[in-house]
Amino acid sequence: MQDRLLPYWLLIPAFVIVLATTIYPLAYSFVTSFRAWDLTQSRRPEGFVGFENYIYAASEEQFLNSLWVTFIFVVTSVALTVVLAMALALLLRRKGPMHTFTRIVLILPFAMSPALIGVSYRFMFNPEFGVLAKGLGAIFPALEGVPWLADPQLAMGILVLTDVWHWTPYMTFMCLGGLASIPRETEEAARIDGASNLRIVFGIILPQMKGVIAVMAVLKTIFALKMFDQVVTLTGGGPGTSTETLAYFIFNVGFRWFDMGYASALAWILTAIMMFISIWYVRMLLSEKKMATA
């Protein structure tokens, strides 16, 4: 009897840790989202206000702006990352003399801290001494002295650039794993029939990579929705609120304006968005598999 119970006893420490660090905070924040709690007025949550925090979010201009900024950022960064990762994977699939070295160099951006990436790009795009700003100004004189991070469109573009630069290596290795599962005989047969490289990519490789691409898109979408570190260290949500993503707005509400009830409601809205997107991706993937097997 004791031998049968031993595995469950061994799981207790792990369960306690998960309960203390994940389940309890999630439950507490969910309850808090229905309460009024201003940290400047009280150290404990006040009375229940029902769905008032959620209703207020639906009409608040700054929240809607952060939602729109997040939408633009997610769509752009996910699309560019997936396309670039697939292109790099197709190039790295062919082994050459620099094959191993190229893979080692490729993983370096992902090994860097997101906060460090934001600080680095902030310095590199400084119009006075930034190496990228000076380099672009030397190649294109019209770009000399451009305040890259002071323009709303340029700041968003640089924020997307840093995120794509950070995540493309990881997604590339996911693509390489998917490409390794595709039989080479199919491609060789297509080449014998006279198919071009583009036809092989779009007619053979990409259809068999749909599952991997869907998983990549889900993961990258979730990571992009949670974008925070690089916003803090690169743009600070500016200029104005042009790069204030939803995660950064939630941080401001909770830890700068100390409205913990409203911040909790916003956090659960972000969680609901991520869950909806994940479920949609999974259902789409499962439906395609059913159609393929039918």
Side-chain angles (χ1 to χ4, degrees):
M1 183 65 179
Q2 290 182 351
D3 292 340
R4 293 181 180 178
L5 294 176
L6 180 60
Y8 300 99
W9 283 107
L10 294 175
L11 286 173
I12 289 177
F15 176 75
V16 171
I17 293 173
V18 172
L19 179 66
T21 60
T22 304
I23 298 176
Y24 175 73
L26 282 173
Y28 191 80
S29 67
F30 183 71
V31 174
T32 304
S33 69
F34 296 99
R35 306 181 74 168
W37 187 8
D38 188 344
L39 278 177
T40 61
Q41 303 294 329
S42 174
R43 295 177 60 183
R44 295 182 179 181
E46 299 172 6
F48 282 91
V49 294
F51 289 93
E52 185 176 319
N53 289 324
Y54 294 93
I55 295 172
Y56 177 69
S59 59
E60 190 199 7
E61 183 177 349
Q62 196 164 352
F63 165 72
L64 296 176
N65 173 74
S66 68
L67 206 59
W68 175 245
V69 169
T70 302
F71 174 77
I72 295 174
F73 174 79
V74 169
V75 171
T76 309
S77 65
V78 171
L80 288 176
T81 302
V82 171
V83 171
L84 285 176
M86 193 67 211
L88 284 173
L90 290 171
L91 291 174
L92 292 173
R93 193 186 184 195
R94 299 178 179 179
K95 293 185 178 181
M98 301 291 288
H99 181 74
T100 302
F101 176 76
T102 304
R103 290 194 176 201
I104 294 172
V105 172
L106 187 65
I107 201 62
L108 290 178
F110 186 70
M112 294 180 64
S113 164
L116 178 60
I117 292 173
V119 173
S120 301
Y121 272 86
R122 186 181 184 92
F123 277 101
M124 288 192 291
F125 276 100
N126 188 290
E128 296 181 4
F129 53 78
V131 61
L132 288 180
K134 290 295 183 181
L136 289 171
I139 299 173
F140 306 102
L143 299 179
E144 180 68 32
V146 171
W148 295 92
L149 296 176
D151 182 271
Q153 284 74 32
L154 292 177
M156 174 58 75
I158 294 172
L159 186 63
V160 171
L161 170 67
T162 61
D163 188 63
V164 171
W165 183 80
H166 181 219
W167 283 102
T168 296
Y170 177 74
M171 298 298 171
T172 299
F173 284 105
M174 287 187 65
C175 286
L176 285 171
L179 290 172
S181 64
I182 299 176
R184 289 296 184 105
E185 293 78 8
T186 307
E187 297 179 45
E188 293 173 0
R191 293 186 189 280
I192 293 174
D193 291 338
S196 63
N197 289 331
L198 283 177
R199 189 172 182 83
I200 291 173
V201 170
F202 288 98
I204 297 175
I205 295 177
L206 289 183
Q208 297 186 67
M209 287 285 292
K210 282 184 178 180
V212 176
I213 292 173
V215 172
M216 288 168 52
V218 171
L219 292 176
K220 185 64 190 72
T221 300
I222 292 173
F223 292 136
L225 283 169
K226 298 189 300 180
M227 164 61 74
F228 176 76
D229 306 64
Q230 284 150 255
V231 177
V232 175
T233 57
L234 179 62
T235 65
T241 57
S242 59
T243 59
E244 187 179 55
T245 59
L246 183 52
Y248 186 65
F249 178 60
I250 294 170
F251 168 80
N252 285 333
V253 173
F255 298 101
R256 288 186 177 175
W257 307 333
F258 303 108
D259 191 347
M260 301 305 294
Y262 186 41
S264 298
L266 294 176
W268 275 99
I269 291 174
L270 178 58
T271 303
I273 293 172
M274 289 191 289
M275 290 178 63
F276 173 79
I277 292 174
S278 301
I279 292 171
W280 178 72
Y281 270 122
V282 171
R283 291 188 65 178
M284 180 181 66
L285 184 61
L286 291 175
S287 64
E288 288 182 354
K289 283 187 176 180
K290 288 181 180 179
M291 290 176 64
T293 56

